[in-house]
Amino acid sequence: MNILTVKGLTKRFGGLTAVKDVDMTVKRGSITAVIGPNGAGKTTFFNMITGVYKPDEGEISLDTHGLVGLKPHDISKCGISRTFQNIRLFNEMTVLENVMVGFHNHLKSTFLGTLLALPHVRKEEANAKKEGYRLLEYVGLAEFFNEEAQNLSYGAQRRLEIARALATKPKLLLLDEPAAGMNPKETKELTDLIYRMREELDVTIVLIEHDMKLVMQISEHIVVLDHGEKIAEGKPVEIRNNRNVIEAYLGKSAVVANEGRGQNVN
Ligand SMILES: Nc1ncnc2c1ncn2[C@@H]1O[C@H](COP(=O)(O)OP(=O)(O)OP(=O)(O)O)[C@@H](O)[C@H]1O
């Protein structure tokens, strides 16, 4: 059964069509990758799903719930969470505080209640701390809970972003280039974390990623965008040998060479 259904999604910026008439479905419990050369429209696609941009055309449904027109915080409440291509942490806040920010959407406390430190607010805060610490344990960062986020290694900062994204208990997690800048050890830890989240937290995962080794290893389904259009989709083995994909990444001459040698894209 599909958790996400996208139909005819289009976004224009002035004369540029960044995403053009894209259809896509994501199976519940799957790991799906959206790939494509630089500027293909991948982040714009994520930005429409999370309500950062309103599509010019098209529909997006999470289960049967239409998302177009909803604000990002309402979409988050529906069960979609994300991380960003450029890490967006509060550098001078502690690691634990950064995760607690993720709970904000689900807290009931009002500004006045917080100001007056009312008992129910203090209780909510204590719960957020406890739950935040638990999430840090989950992503392997508990020992750094009191460090400033900026002191973490790059790979650890990316895992912290994931912990914060998990704070809203998403059904669907969108990861925008989660392995960017990671060394092989960090990428391996990320891979394990992605599998664990899917198995243990019942989260469906869609990732944008340039690391083709990771994409081919981890994805069950791959959607390829080029110049805003979907040019291919399928299993890793199908994508690896797809003529349009090889051409988009490497140019026409690569297709000819590839066919000559019977080799694949990576
Ligand atoms: N806010 C914006 N205003 C104008 N043009 C934009 C905006 N956001 C994206 N674009 C353009 O839309 C196209 C798609 O950009 P997008 O960032 O979605 O691509 P991408 O596939 O994520 O690229 P990359 O892999 O380099 O991150 C690009 O040509 C980009 O310059």
Side-chain angles (χ1 to χ4, degrees):
M1 175 167 167
N2 296 328
I3 185 166
L4 184 75
T5 308
V6 169
K7 278 191 200 145
L9 209 60
T10 298
K11 180 71 191 171
R12 299 182 199 93
F13 296 110
L16 174 89
T17 306
V19 173
K20 190 175 175 193
D21 198 19
V22 170
D23 294 339
M24 175 178 170
T25 53
V26 175
K27 277 205 186 108
R28 185 183 305 283
S30 65
I31 299 175
T32 300
V34 179
I35 66 168
N38 289 330
K42 306 178 296 291
T43 297
T44 304
F45 184 70
F46 266 22
N47 281 337
M48 286 190 279
I49 294 172
T50 52
V52 175
Y53 295 145
K54 189 163 183 233
D56 291 305
E57 287 159 35
E59 293 164 28
I60 307 167
S61 313
L62 182 71
D63 294 318
T64 53
H65 199 92
L67 300 182
V68 172
L70 297 185
K71 298 276 177 240
H73 65 271
D74 290 321
I75 291 178
S76 159
K77 280 184 184 158
C78 290
I80 299 184
S81 196
R82 77 178 289 182
T83 63
F84 293 89
Q85 187 175 355
N86 305 313
I87 295 175
R88 292 192 188 178
L89 294 171
F90 297 99
N91 280 329
E92 285 161 25
M93 281 165 58
T94 68
V95 167
L96 180 59
E97 284 164 349
N98 267 279
V99 182
M100 287 171 68
V101 169
F103 289 107
H104 176 75
N105 223 359
H106 287 213
L107 297 183
K108 294 186 195 72
S109 317
T110 60
F111 176 67
L112 187 64
T114 308
L115 208 64
L116 299 175
L118 297 176
H120 77 276
V121 176
R122 288 206 302 271
K123 186 158 175 248
E124 217 170 37
E125 182 97 2
N127 282 343
K129 246 185 200 157
K130 211 165 104 193
E131 188 66 6
Y133 190 81
R134 207 185 56 74
L135 284 172
L136 289 177
E137 283 180 322
Y138 193 76
V139 301
L141 292 176
E143 62 182 302
F144 304 113
F145 81 99
N146 214 16
E147 279 284 338
E148 283 185 7
Q150 62 191 353
N151 295 337
L152 294 184
S153 71
Y154 200 73
Q157 289 192 11
R158 288 219 171 266
R159 273 187 287 141
L160 176 53
E161 273 214 312
I162 292 177
R164 184 174 60 189
L166 290 176
T168 56
K169 295 193 169 49
K171 298 193 254 189
L172 178 67
L173 180 60
L174 308 180
L175 304 174
D176 196 345
E177 296 197 33
M182 284 190 174
N183 63 37
K185 181 171 172 280
E186 290 172 330
T187 305
K188 164 81 175 65
E189 285 167 358
L190 172 74
T191 309
D192 293 344
L193 177 60
I194 291 175
Y195 281 134
R196 272 202 295 132
M197 290 191 293
R198 189 257 293 268
E199 299 307 322
E200 298 169 3
L201 305 181
D202 203 16
V203 178
T204 303
I205 290 161
V206 181
L207 66 150
I208 293 174
E209 190 46 67
H210 284 289
D211 179 338
M212 280 307 129
K213 194 165 162 249
L214 174 65
V215 167
M216 292 297 163
Q217 180 196 341
I218 206 169
S219 319
E220 286 134 2
H221 190 73
I222 300 175
V223 171
V224 190
L225 300 182
D226 185 32
H227 296 295
E229 294 187 58
K230 184 172 79 177
I231 58 163
E233 69 177 314
K235 295 193 174 87
V237 63
E238 294 163 341
I239 295 305
R240 198 179 266 158
N241 294 303
N242 184 291
R243 193 188 163 92
N244 292 340
V245 177
I246 298 169
E247 189 177 319
Y249 273 97
L250 303 172
K252 271 202 167 70
S253 54
V255 178
V256 176
N258 184 59
E259 286 174 350
R261 280 190 246 116
Q263 288 178 350
N264 55 41
V265 73
N266 61 334

PDB file of all heavy atoms in Angstrom, residues 13 16 18 37-44 53 85 177 210, ligand 1:
ATOM      1  N   PHE A  13       9.758  28.533 -11.445  1.00  0.00           N
ATOM      2  CA  PHE A  13      10.334  29.756 -10.885  1.00  0.00           C
ATOM      3  C   PHE A  13      10.524  30.693 -12.075  1.00  0.00           C
ATOM      4  O   PHE A  13      11.473  30.521 -12.848  1.00  0.00           O
ATOM      5  CB  PHE A  13      11.688  29.477 -10.219  1.00  0.00           C
ATOM      6  CG  PHE A  13      11.607  28.555  -9.030  1.00  0.00           C
ATOM      7  CD1 PHE A  13      12.129  27.272  -9.087  1.00  0.00           C
ATOM      8  CD2 PHE A  13      11.013  28.985  -7.842  1.00  0.00           C
ATOM      9  CE1 PHE A  13      12.063  26.425  -7.992  1.00  0.00           C
ATOM     10  CE2 PHE A  13      10.946  28.139  -6.741  1.00  0.00           C
ATOM     11  CZ  PHE A  13      11.465  26.864  -6.815  1.00  0.00           C
ATOM     12  N   LEU A  16      11.647  29.265 -15.487  1.00  0.00           N
ATOM     13  CA  LEU A  16      12.267  27.942 -15.311  1.00  0.00           C
ATOM     14  C   LEU A  16      11.273  26.958 -14.683  1.00  0.00           C
ATOM     15  O   LEU A  16      10.689  27.259 -13.641  1.00  0.00           O
ATOM     16  CB  LEU A  16      13.489  28.072 -14.389  1.00  0.00           C
ATOM     17  CG  LEU A  16      14.143  26.756 -14.006  1.00  0.00           C
ATOM     18  CD1 LEU A  16      15.206  26.388 -15.029  1.00  0.00           C
ATOM     19  CD2 LEU A  16      14.762  26.830 -12.621  1.00  0.00           C
ATOM     20  N   ALA A  18      11.209  23.975 -12.645  1.00  0.00           N
ATOM     21  CA  ALA A  18      12.152  23.202 -11.806  1.00  0.00           C
ATOM     22  C   ALA A  18      11.686  21.762 -11.638  1.00  0.00           C
ATOM     23  O   ALA A  18      12.503  20.844 -11.546  1.00  0.00           O
ATOM     24  CB  ALA A  18      12.315  23.865 -10.448  1.00  0.00           C
ATOM     25  N   PRO A  37      21.072  14.545 -11.726  1.00  0.00           N
ATOM     26  CA  PRO A  37      22.206  15.478 -11.739  1.00  0.00           C
ATOM     27  C   PRO A  37      21.886  16.773 -10.987  1.00  0.00           C
ATOM     28  O   PRO A  37      20.716  17.041 -10.667  1.00  0.00           O
ATOM     29  CB  PRO A  37      22.395  15.769 -13.238  1.00  0.00           C
ATOM     30  CG  PRO A  37      21.649  14.710 -13.958  1.00  0.00           C
ATOM     31  CD  PRO A  37      20.543  14.254 -13.061  1.00  0.00           C
ATOM     32  N   ASN A  38      22.900  17.588 -10.735  1.00  0.00           N
ATOM     33  CA  ASN A  38      22.691  18.872 -10.059  1.00  0.00           C
ATOM     34  C   ASN A  38      21.636  19.695 -10.802  1.00  0.00           C
ATOM     35  O   ASN A  38      21.643  19.760 -12.020  1.00  0.00           O
ATOM     36  CB  ASN A  38      23.991  19.677 -10.007  1.00  0.00           C
ATOM     37  CG  ASN A  38      24.980  19.060  -9.045  1.00  0.00           C
ATOM     38  OD1 ASN A  38      24.595  18.440  -8.065  1.00  0.00           O
ATOM     39  ND2 ASN A  38      26.257  19.218  -9.339  1.00  0.00           N
ATOM     40  N   GLY A  39      20.741  20.288 -10.017  1.00  0.00           N
ATOM     41  CA  GLY A  39      19.726  21.151 -10.601  1.00  0.00           C
ATOM     42  C   GLY A  39      18.563  20.395 -11.214  1.00  0.00           C
ATOM     43  O   GLY A  39      17.709  20.977 -11.892  1.00  0.00           O
ATOM     44  N   ALA A  40      18.472  19.083 -10.967  1.00  0.00           N
ATOM     45  CA  ALA A  40      17.420  18.259 -11.579  1.00  0.00           C
ATOM     46  C   ALA A  40      16.030  18.538 -10.994  1.00  0.00           C
ATOM     47  O   ALA A  40      15.017  18.175 -11.586  1.00  0.00           O
ATOM     48  CB  ALA A  40      17.752  16.784 -11.400  1.00  0.00           C
ATOM     49  N   GLY A  41      15.986  19.164  -9.797  1.00  0.00           N
ATOM     50  CA  GLY A  41      14.689  19.474  -9.187  1.00  0.00           C
ATOM     51  C   GLY A  41      14.396  18.656  -7.943  1.00  0.00           C
ATOM     52  O   GLY A  41      13.280  18.709  -7.397  1.00  0.00           O
ATOM     53  N   LYS A  42      15.379  17.953  -7.431  1.00  0.00           N
ATOM     54  CA  LYS A  42      15.151  17.034  -6.300  1.00  0.00           C
ATOM     55  C   LYS A  42      14.734  17.780  -5.022  1.00  0.00           C
ATOM     56  O   LYS A  42      13.753  17.423  -4.382  1.00  0.00           O
ATOM     57  CB  LYS A  42      16.432  16.200  -6.037  1.00  0.00           C
ATOM     58  CG  LYS A  42      16.931  15.464  -7.270  1.00  0.00           C
ATOM     59  CD  LYS A  42      18.198  14.696  -7.005  1.00  0.00           C
ATOM     60  CE  LYS A  42      19.407  15.535  -6.648  1.00  0.00           C
ATOM     61  NZ  LYS A  42      19.942  16.365  -7.756  1.00  0.00           N
ATOM     62  N   THR A  43      15.514  18.814  -4.680  1.00  0.00           N
ATOM     63  CA  THR A  43      15.186  19.541  -3.448  1.00  0.00           C
ATOM     64  C   THR A  43      13.866  20.302  -3.597  1.00  0.00           C
ATOM     65  O   THR A  43      13.071  20.370  -2.659  1.00  0.00           O
ATOM     66  CB  THR A  43      16.346  20.500  -3.072  1.00  0.00           C
ATOM     67  OG1 THR A  43      17.502  19.694  -2.804  1.00  0.00           O
ATOM     68  CG2 THR A  43      16.028  21.306  -1.823  1.00  0.00           C
ATOM     69  N   THR A  44      13.633  20.818  -4.773  1.00  0.00           N
ATOM     70  CA  THR A  44      12.351  21.507  -5.019  1.00  0.00           C
ATOM     71  C   THR A  44      11.190  20.518  -4.816  1.00  0.00           C
ATOM     72  O   THR A  44      10.156  20.874  -4.234  1.00  0.00           O
ATOM     73  CB  THR A  44      12.319  22.084  -6.459  1.00  0.00           C
ATOM     74  OG1 THR A  44      13.443  22.946  -6.619  1.00  0.00           O
ATOM     75  CG2 THR A  44      11.045  22.848  -6.726  1.00  0.00           C
ATOM     76  N   TYR A  53       7.308  25.017  -0.592  1.00  0.00           N
ATOM     77  CA  TYR A  53       6.780  25.616  -1.820  1.00  0.00           C
ATOM     78  C   TYR A  53       5.416  25.023  -2.115  1.00  0.00           C
ATOM     79  O   TYR A  53       5.207  23.816  -1.941  1.00  0.00           O
ATOM     80  CB  TYR A  53       7.671  25.296  -3.025  1.00  0.00           C
ATOM     81  CG  TYR A  53       9.064  25.871  -2.982  1.00  0.00           C
ATOM     82  CD1 TYR A  53      10.128  25.162  -3.519  1.00  0.00           C
ATOM     83  CD2 TYR A  53       9.314  27.127  -2.426  1.00  0.00           C
ATOM     84  CE1 TYR A  53      11.411  25.684  -3.507  1.00  0.00           C
ATOM     85  CE2 TYR A  53      10.589  27.648  -2.401  1.00  0.00           C
ATOM     86  CZ  TYR A  53      11.635  26.930  -2.940  1.00  0.00           C
ATOM     87  OH  TYR A  53      12.898  27.437  -2.919  1.00  0.00           O
ATOM     88  N   GLN A  85      19.617  19.528   3.082  1.00  0.00           N
ATOM     89  CA  GLN A  85      20.873  19.381   2.342  1.00  0.00           C
ATOM     90  C   GLN A  85      21.999  20.125   3.070  1.00  0.00           C
ATOM     91  O   GLN A  85      23.069  19.580   3.289  1.00  0.00           O
ATOM     92  CB  GLN A  85      20.648  19.967   0.949  1.00  0.00           C
ATOM     93  CG  GLN A  85      21.775  19.764   0.004  1.00  0.00           C
ATOM     94  CD  GLN A  85      21.383  20.287  -1.387  1.00  0.00           C
ATOM     95  OE1 GLN A  85      20.248  20.713  -1.626  1.00  0.00           O
ATOM     96  NE2 GLN A  85      22.321  20.251  -2.291  1.00  0.00           N
ATOM     97  N   GLU A 177      20.206  14.480   0.970  1.00  0.00           N
ATOM     98  CA  GLU A 177      21.647  14.204   0.921  1.00  0.00           C
ATOM     99  C   GLU A 177      22.238  13.880   2.300  1.00  0.00           C
ATOM    100  O   GLU A 177      23.152  14.560   2.770  1.00  0.00           O
ATOM    101  CB  GLU A 177      22.375  15.381   0.283  1.00  0.00           C
ATOM    102  CG  GLU A 177      21.970  15.569  -1.166  1.00  0.00           C
ATOM    103  CD  GLU A 177      22.939  16.445  -1.941  1.00  0.00           C
ATOM    104  OE1 GLU A 177      24.124  16.403  -1.637  1.00  0.00           O
ATOM    105  OE2 GLU A 177      22.472  17.146  -2.846  1.00  0.00           O
ATOM    106  N   HIS A 210      23.534  11.718  -3.671  1.00  0.00           N
ATOM    107  CA  HIS A 210      24.460  11.674  -4.808  1.00  0.00           C
ATOM    108  C   HIS A 210      25.419  10.493  -4.711  1.00  0.00           C
ATOM    109  O   HIS A 210      26.072  10.157  -5.693  1.00  0.00           O
ATOM    110  CB  HIS A 210      25.265  12.976  -4.896  1.00  0.00           C
ATOM    111  CG  HIS A 210      24.484  14.121  -5.455  1.00  0.00           C
ATOM    112  ND1 HIS A 210      24.113  14.200  -6.769  1.00  0.00           N
ATOM    113  CD2 HIS A 210      23.986  15.238  -4.879  1.00  0.00           C
ATOM    114  CE1 HIS A 210      23.436  15.313  -6.995  1.00  0.00           C
ATOM    115  NE2 HIS A 210      23.337  15.962  -5.845  1.00  0.00           N
TER     116      HIS A 210
HETATM  117  N1  LIG B   1      13.746  29.453  -4.927  1.00  0.00           N
HETATM  118  C1  LIG B   1      14.174  29.319  -6.182  1.00  0.00           C
HETATM  119  N2  LIG B   1      14.095  30.337  -7.050  1.00  0.00           N
HETATM  120  C2  LIG B   1      14.510  30.201  -8.327  1.00  0.00           C
HETATM  121  N3  LIG B   1      15.030  29.075  -8.837  1.00  0.00           N
HETATM  122  C3  LIG B   1      15.140  28.034  -8.013  1.00  0.00           C
HETATM  123  C4  LIG B   1      14.727  28.087  -6.644  1.00  0.00           C
HETATM  124  N4  LIG B   1      14.955  26.876  -6.071  1.00  0.00           N
HETATM  125  C5  LIG B   1      15.486  26.112  -7.028  1.00  0.00           C
HETATM  126  N5  LIG B   1      15.595  26.793  -8.189  1.00  0.00           N
HETATM  127  C6  LIG B   1      16.111  26.276  -9.470  1.00  0.00           C
HETATM  128  O1  LIG B   1      15.364  25.102  -9.769  1.00  0.00           O
HETATM  129  C7  LIG B   1      16.212  24.111 -10.353  1.00  0.00           C
HETATM  130  C8  LIG B   1      16.154  22.854  -9.507  1.00  0.00           C
HETATM  131  O2  LIG B   1      16.827  23.117  -8.270  1.00  0.00           O
HETATM  132  P1  LIG B   1      16.907  22.049  -7.107  1.00  0.00           P
HETATM  133  O3  LIG B   1      17.663  22.673  -5.986  1.00  0.00           O
HETATM  134  O4  LIG B   1      15.541  21.536  -6.819  1.00  0.00           O
HETATM  135  O5  LIG B   1      17.779  20.917  -7.787  1.00  0.00           O
HETATM  136  P2  LIG B   1      18.490  19.660  -7.132  1.00  0.00           P
HETATM  137  O6  LIG B   1      18.191  18.505  -8.004  1.00  0.00           O
HETATM  138  O7  LIG B   1      18.103  19.561  -5.704  1.00  0.00           O
HETATM  139  O8  LIG B   1      20.017  20.075  -7.271  1.00  0.00           O
HETATM  140  P3  LIG B   1      21.301  19.671  -6.362  1.00  0.00           P
HETATM  141  O9  LIG B   1      21.543  18.220  -6.544  1.00  0.00           O
HETATM  142  O10 LIG B   1      22.387  20.514  -6.973  1.00  0.00           O
HETATM  143  O11 LIG B   1      20.967  20.059  -4.962  1.00  0.00           O
HETATM  144  C9  LIG B   1      17.605  24.723 -10.428  1.00  0.00           C
HETATM  145  O12 LIG B   1      17.778  25.239 -11.734  1.00  0.00           O
HETATM  146  C10 LIG B   1      17.562  25.827  -9.395  1.00  0.00           C
HETATM  147  O13 LIG B   1      18.453  26.867  -9.735  1.00  0.00           O
END
